[in-house]
Amino acid sequence: MSRARIVAATEADCRELAAAMRAEDRREVRDGVGMEPLDVLLHSLGGEAYTASDEEGVILMFGTYPTDVPDTGLVWLLGTERLVDKQTEFLRRCRRVLDILHRRYPLLVNYADARNEVHLRWLRWCGFKVLRTVPIAGVAGIPFHEIARYKRIECVPQ
């Protein structure tokens, strides 16, 4: 994402992304949690949420949200069609961004729509593992993959 900047997400970013979200991401949100994309994005501001944008506007938003399990964060990413056009630049930065998200949560988890091939390829490339497939999940009762990525914590002898 040449010239793209990553900053803390704002309500304005949520509104812009909701209006331009990839159809697959929109479907995943609706079928998974039964909410409209704007509502999900606004809710995400209660966790750790970031926006990647350039001179043309928002490209994507991502972040983590706390779970009830200690040291475990719910990871998410939603984007526009421009993400596909900028995928090479995006992929170059992904692992550094995941390191930032792992600072707070050694374990990142979520469920991914089994139909969303772009998400699944990205998740695998980033080191996420599919733990299992839930055949009837979300409000639409369609298959979702449970995914996880664990960041090893280095122990330094004292």
Side-chain angles (χ1 to χ4, degrees):
M1 281 182 274
S2 54
R3 297 191 206 141
R5 60 187 178 88
I6 296 174
V7 297
T10 67
E11 183 177 330
D13 297 334
C14 294
R15 292 185 186 288
E16 184 177 339
L17 176 56
M21 190 177 291
R22 292 177 59 241
E24 295 87 349
D25 290 3
R26 184 178 307 282
R27 178 182 69 185
E28 185 166 336
V29 167
R30 288 179 176 153
D31 290 353
V33 295
M35 293 173 65
E36 289 301 312
L38 178 58
D39 296 329
V40 167
L41 290 167
L42 291 171
H43 180 74
S44 75
L45 295 177
E48 191 174 10
Y50 300 95
T51 300
S53 62
D54 62 12
E55 60 280 348
E56 294 177 43
V58 172
I59 300 165
L60 61 96
M61 287 177 61
F62 65 92
T64 56
Y65 204 81
T67 68
D68 293 336
V69 180
D71 299 324
T72 303
L74 185 73
V75 65
W76 60 273
L77 180 143
L78 297 167
T80 67
E81 288 296 337
R82 294 183 53 234
L83 173 57
V84 176
D85 298 334
K86 298 190 173 276
Q87 65 184 333
T88 301
E89 295 97 325
F90 172 67
L91 291 173
R92 281 188 200 130
R93 293 173 130 182
C94 271
R95 292 200 171 124
R96 278 187 296 167
V97 167
L98 282 167
D99 287 341
I100 291 168
L101 298 177
H102 272 301
R103 284 184 198 158
R104 186 167 186 178
Y105 303 110
L107 181 60
L108 300 174
V109 299
N110 206 336
Y111 289 87
D113 186 334
R115 302 169 296 179
N116 196 335
E117 280 301 315
V118 170
H119 268 175
L120 296 172
R121 278 196 309 270
W122 172 73
L123 289 165
R124 286 185 197 105
W125 187 87
C126 288
F128 282 87
K129 302 294 181 212
V130 173
L131 304 178
R132 66 185 173 130
T133 300
V134 181
I136 300 173
V139 297
I142 54 154
F144 272 73
H145 297 307
E146 182 179 24
I147 55 106
R149 183 177 191 265
Y150 184 73
K151 175 75 171 182
R152 295 178 195 257
I153 301 170
E154 298 294 323
C155 296
V156 179
Q158 294 189 4

